mmCIF file of all heavy atoms in Angstrom:
data_model
loop_
_atom_site.group_PDB
_atom_site.id
_atom_site.type_symbol
_atom_site.label_atom_id
_atom_site.label_comp_id
_atom_site.label_asym_id
_atom_site.label_seq_id
_atom_site.Cartn_x
_atom_site.Cartn_y
_atom_site.Cartn_z
ATOM 1 N N GLU A 1 14.597 21.812 -21.068
ATOM 2 C CA GLU A 1 15.016 20.497 -20.550
ATOM 3 C C GLU A 1 14.969 20.507 -19.048
ATOM 4 O O GLU A 1 14.546 19.525 -18.425
ATOM 5 C CB GLU A 1 16.376 20.117 -21.108
ATOM 6 C CG GLU A 1 16.346 19.740 -22.563
ATOM 7 C CD GLU A 1 17.722 19.561 -23.176
ATOM 8 O OE1 GLU A 1 18.748 19.764 -22.506
ATOM 9 O OE2 GLU A 1 17.759 19.180 -24.373
ATOM 10 N N ALA A 2 15.426 21.588 -18.428
ATOM 11 C CA ALA A 2 15.369 21.706 -16.974
ATOM 12 C C ALA A 2 13.911 21.714 -16.485
ATOM 13 O O ALA A 2 13.566 21.078 -15.477
ATOM 14 C CB ALA A 2 16.077 22.956 -16.500
ATOM 15 N N TYR A 3 13.030 22.387 -17.212
ATOM 16 C CA TYR A 3 11.610 22.430 -16.875
ATOM 17 C C TYR A 3 11.018 21.004 -17.015
ATOM 18 O O TYR A 3 10.324 20.516 -16.084
ATOM 19 C CB TYR A 3 10.896 23.387 -17.789
ATOM 20 C CG TYR A 3 9.423 23.362 -17.727
ATOM 21 C CD1 TYR A 3 8.717 24.054 -16.740
ATOM 22 C CD2 TYR A 3 8.648 22.654 -18.664
ATOM 23 C CE1 TYR A 3 7.335 24.015 -16.688
ATOM 24 C CE2 TYR A 3 7.242 22.594 -18.623
ATOM 25 C CZ TYR A 3 6.612 23.289 -17.621
ATOM 26 O OH TYR A 3 5.266 23.256 -17.542
ATOM 27 N N ARG A 4 11.283 20.353 -18.103
ATOM 28 C CA ARG A 4 10.699 19.016 -18.362
ATOM 29 C C ARG A 4 11.149 18.001 -17.311
ATOM 30 O O ARG A 4 10.417 17.068 -16.947
ATOM 31 C CB ARG A 4 11.115 18.516 -19.730
ATOM 32 C CG ARG A 4 10.367 19.234 -20.845
ATOM 33 C CD ARG A 4 10.799 18.678 -22.191
ATOM 34 N NE ARG A 4 10.226 19.465 -23.270
ATOM 35 C CZ ARG A 4 10.840 19.751 -24.391
ATOM 36 N NH1 ARG A 4 12.085 19.311 -24.619
ATOM 37 N NH2 ARG A 4 10.252 20.478 -25.320
ATOM 38 N N ALA A 5 12.365 18.162 -16.806
ATOM 39 C CA ALA A 5 12.903 17.266 -15.807
ATOM 40 C C ALA A 5 12.158 17.355 -14.453
ATOM 41 O O ALA A 5 12.170 16.409 -13.699
ATOM 42 C CB ALA A 5 14.395 17.490 -15.585
ATOM 43 N N ARG A 6 11.468 18.477 -14.233
ATOM 44 C CA ARG A 6 10.863 18.707 -12.942
ATOM 45 C C ARG A 6 9.308 18.768 -12.988
ATOM 46 O O ARG A 6 8.665 18.616 -11.940
ATOM 47 C CB ARG A 6 11.409 19.989 -12.350
ATOM 48 C CG ARG A 6 12.910 19.904 -12.048
ATOM 49 C CD ARG A 6 13.486 21.212 -11.621
ATOM 50 N NE ARG A 6 12.895 21.744 -10.404
ATOM 51 C CZ ARG A 6 13.102 22.932 -9.929
ATOM 52 N NH1 ARG A 6 13.901 23.774 -10.574
ATOM 53 N NH2 ARG A 6 12.508 23.368 -8.815
ATOM 54 N N VAL A 7 8.761 19.046 -14.124
ATOM 55 C CA VAL A 7 7.316 19.330 -14.167
ATOM 56 C C VAL A 7 6.427 18.135 -13.900
ATOM 57 O O VAL A 7 5.410 18.253 -13.214
ATOM 58 C CB VAL A 7 6.934 20.017 -15.498
ATOM 59 C CG1 VAL A 7 7.063 19.074 -16.680
ATOM 60 C CG2 VAL A 7 5.512 20.603 -15.403
ATOM 61 N N GLN A 8 6.799 16.960 -14.356
ATOM 62 C CA GLN A 8 5.924 15.801 -14.190
ATOM 63 C C GLN A 8 5.652 15.510 -12.708
ATOM 64 O O GLN A 8 4.519 15.157 -12.348
ATOM 65 C CB GLN A 8 6.509 14.563 -14.871
ATOM 66 C CG GLN A 8 5.549 13.416 -14.883
ATOM 67 C CD GLN A 8 5.972 12.318 -15.835
ATOM 68 O OE1 GLN A 8 6.997 12.387 -16.495
ATOM 69 N NE2 GLN A 8 5.156 11.306 -15.900
ATOM 70 N N GLN A 9 6.600 15.675 -11.867
ATOM 71 C CA GLN A 9 6.445 15.432 -10.435
ATOM 72 C C GLN A 9 5.380 16.389 -9.876
ATOM 73 O O GLN A 9 4.539 15.996 -9.043
ATOM 74 C CB GLN A 9 7.763 15.602 -9.707
ATOM 75 C CG GLN A 9 7.625 15.383 -8.201
ATOM 76 C CD GLN A 9 8.956 15.539 -7.523
ATOM 77 O OE1 GLN A 9 10.011 15.482 -8.119
ATOM 78 N NE2 GLN A 9 8.905 15.757 -6.206
ATOM 79 N N THR A 10 5.384 17.656 -10.306
ATOM 80 C CA THR A 10 4.405 18.585 -9.781
ATOM 81 C C THR A 10 2.993 18.237 -10.288
ATOM 82 O O THR A 10 2.018 18.375 -9.527
ATOM 83 C CB THR A 10 4.713 20.047 -10.167
ATOM 84 O OG1 THR A 10 4.556 20.234 -11.566
ATOM 85 C CG2 THR A 10 6.149 20.426 -9.764
ATOM 86 N N ILE A 11 2.874 17.785 -11.517
ATOM 87 C CA ILE A 11 1.569 17.423 -12.055
ATOM 88 C C ILE A 11 0.997 16.247 -11.263
ATOM 89 O O ILE A 11 -0.162 16.315 -10.827
ATOM 90 C CB ILE A 11 1.720 17.044 -13.547
ATOM 91 C CG1 ILE A 11 2.104 18.298 -14.370
ATOM 92 C CG2 ILE A 11 0.453 16.413 -14.094
ATOM 93 C CD1 ILE A 11 2.598 17.988 -15.764
ATOM 94 N N ALA A 12 1.774 15.211 -11.053
ATOM 95 C CA ALA A 12 1.324 14.029 -10.310
ATOM 96 C C ALA A 12 0.945 14.370 -8.892
ATOM 97 O O ALA A 12 -0.025 13.852 -8.326
ATOM 98 C CB ALA A 12 2.392 12.966 -10.354
ATOM 99 N N GLN A 13 1.667 15.309 -8.272
ATOM 100 C CA GLN A 13 1.438 15.703 -6.901
ATOM 101 C C GLN A 13 0.027 16.273 -6.726
ATOM 102 O O GLN A 13 -0.564 16.166 -5.664
ATOM 103 C CB GLN A 13 2.489 16.732 -6.484
ATOM 104 C CG GLN A 13 2.412 17.154 -5.070
ATOM 105 C CD GLN A 13 3.542 18.138 -4.694
ATOM 106 O OE1 GLN A 13 4.539 18.250 -5.361
ATOM 107 N NE2 GLN A 13 3.335 18.850 -3.619
ATOM 108 N N TYR A 14 -0.540 16.867 -7.786
ATOM 109 C CA TYR A 14 -1.857 17.466 -7.726
ATOM 110 C C TYR A 14 -2.886 16.623 -8.444
ATOM 111 O O TYR A 14 -3.966 17.147 -8.795
ATOM 112 C CB TYR A 14 -1.782 18.914 -8.232
ATOM 113 C CG TYR A 14 -1.096 19.808 -7.225
ATOM 114 C CD1 TYR A 14 0.279 19.940 -7.234
ATOM 115 C CD2 TYR A 14 -1.824 20.402 -6.201
ATOM 116 C CE1 TYR A 14 0.944 20.722 -6.266
ATOM 117 C CE2 TYR A 14 -1.174 21.188 -5.234
ATOM 118 C CZ TYR A 14 0.188 21.309 -5.265
ATOM 119 O OH TYR A 14 0.826 22.060 -4.289
ATOM 120 N N GLY A 15 -2.600 15.357 -8.659
ATOM 121 C CA GLY A 15 -3.605 14.445 -9.224
ATOM 122 C C GLY A 15 -3.725 14.511 -10.730
ATOM 123 O O GLY A 15 -4.712 13.990 -11.294
ATOM 124 N N GLY A 16 -2.778 15.135 -11.414
ATOM 125 C CA GLY A 16 -2.884 15.267 -12.836
ATOM 126 C C GLY A 16 -2.053 14.198 -13.575
ATOM 127 O O GLY A 16 -1.221 13.514 -12.953
ATOM 128 N N GLU A 17 -2.286 14.074 -14.842
ATOM 129 C CA GLU A 17 -1.484 13.182 -15.698
ATOM 130 C C GLU A 17 -1.490 13.714 -17.128
ATOM 131 O O GLU A 17 -2.388 14.456 -17.540
ATOM 132 C CB GLU A 17 -1.997 11.779 -15.630
ATOM 133 C CG GLU A 17 -3.395 11.565 -16.152
ATOM 134 C CD GLU A 17 -3.874 10.148 -16.021
ATOM 135 O OE1 GLU A 17 -3.336 9.281 -16.759
ATOM 136 O OE2 GLU A 17 -4.770 9.889 -15.233
ATOM 137 N N TYR A 18 -0.490 13.301 -17.868
ATOM 138 C CA TYR A 18 -0.384 13.649 -19.280
ATOM 139 C C TYR A 18 -1.344 12.792 -20.071
ATOM 140 O O TYR A 18 -1.410 11.576 -19.885
ATOM 141 C CB TYR A 18 1.017 13.396 -19.805
ATOM 142 C CG TYR A 18 2.074 14.397 -19.405
ATOM 143 C CD1 TYR A 18 2.914 14.167 -18.342
ATOM 144 C CD2 TYR A 18 2.176 15.612 -20.091
ATOM 145 C CE1 TYR A 18 3.874 15.108 -17.980
ATOM 146 C CE2 TYR A 18 3.113 16.545 -19.729
ATOM 147 C CZ TYR A 18 3.968 16.274 -18.690
ATOM 148 O OH TYR A 18 4.910 17.210 -18.317
ATOM 149 N N LEU A 19 -2.033 13.413 -21.037
ATOM 150 C CA LEU A 19 -2.803 12.700 -22.051
ATOM 151 C C LEU A 19 -2.087 12.791 -23.383
ATOM 152 O O LEU A 19 -2.117 11.830 -24.175
ATOM 153 C CB LEU A 19 -4.202 13.258 -22.187
ATOM 154 C CG LEU A 19 -5.136 13.077 -20.985
ATOM 155 C CD1 LEU A 19 -6.485 13.704 -21.252
ATOM 156 C CD2 LEU A 19 -5.287 11.624 -20.631
ATOM 157 N N VAL A 20 -1.524 13.969 -23.660
ATOM 158 C CA VAL A 20 -0.773 14.216 -24.908
ATOM 159 C C VAL A 20 0.486 14.948 -24.535
ATOM 160 O O VAL A 20 0.442 15.887 -23.737
ATOM 161 C CB VAL A 20 -1.617 15.047 -25.893
ATOM 162 C CG1 VAL A 20 -0.809 15.415 -27.142
ATOM 163 C CG2 VAL A 20 -2.887 14.323 -26.284
ATOM 164 N N ARG A 21 1.579 14.534 -25.153
ATOM 165 C CA ARG A 21 2.843 15.212 -24.904
ATOM 166 C C ARG A 21 3.610 15.237 -26.217
ATOM 167 O O ARG A 21 4.489 14.409 -26.488
ATOM 168 C CB ARG A 21 3.635 14.439 -23.845
ATOM 169 C CG ARG A 21 4.774 15.176 -23.225
ATOM 170 C CD ARG A 21 5.340 14.352 -22.086
ATOM 171 N NE ARG A 21 6.367 15.072 -21.397
ATOM 172 C CZ ARG A 21 7.028 14.577 -20.396
ATOM 173 N NH1 ARG A 21 6.777 13.363 -19.956
ATOM 174 N NH2 ARG A 21 7.994 15.269 -19.810
ATOM 175 N N GLY A 22 3.218 16.155 -27.097
ATOM 176 C CA GLY A 22 3.800 16.214 -28.438
ATOM 177 C C GLY A 22 3.112 15.179 -29.337
ATOM 178 O O GLY A 22 2.011 14.756 -29.069
ATOM 179 N N GLY A 23 3.811 14.797 -30.360
ATOM 180 C CA GLY A 23 3.270 13.793 -31.274
ATOM 181 C C GLY A 23 2.733 14.388 -32.564
ATOM 182 O O GLY A 23 2.573 15.591 -32.695
ATOM 183 N N ASN A 24 2.475 13.529 -33.494
ATOM 184 C CA ASN A 24 1.942 13.954 -34.798
ATOM 185 C C ASN A 24 0.490 14.372 -34.660
ATOM 186 O O ASN A 24 -0.239 13.853 -33.768
ATOM 187 C CB ASN A 24 2.037 12.813 -35.791
ATOM 188 C CG ASN A 24 3.486 12.447 -36.100
ATOM 189 O OD1 ASN A 24 4.357 13.292 -36.077
ATOM 190 N ND2 ASN A 24 3.705 11.185 -36.300
ATOM 191 N N PHE A 25 0.048 15.295 -35.508
ATOM 192 C CA PHE A 25 -1.337 15.731 -35.533
ATOM 193 C C PHE A 25 -1.752 16.057 -36.937
ATOM 194 O O PHE A 25 -0.895 16.306 -37.795
ATOM 195 C CB PHE A 25 -1.560 16.915 -34.590
ATOM 196 C CG PHE A 25 -0.749 18.121 -34.962
ATOM 197 C CD1 PHE A 25 -1.223 19.032 -35.916
ATOM 198 C CD2 PHE A 25 0.478 18.340 -34.379
ATOM 199 C CE1 PHE A 25 -0.455 20.148 -36.265
ATOM 200 C CE2 PHE A 25 1.264 19.443 -34.727
ATOM 201 C CZ PHE A 25 0.773 20.335 -35.675
#
């Protein structure tokens, strides 16, 4: 939970974005 609270900001900072974040498969 601590990781998830901080990781998205680092991804965006380097031009990245989520395409999939869990979900059914």
Side-chain angles (χ1 to χ4, degrees):
E1 288 172 355
Y3 170 82
R4 287 180 187 143
R6 297 173 60 191
V7 68
Q8 188 166 1
Q9 180 180 342
T10 70
I11 293 166
Q13 183 177 343
Y14 287 86
E17 64 181 291
Y18 284 99
L19 294 179
V20 174
R21 196 173 184 182
N24 295 327
F25 60 86

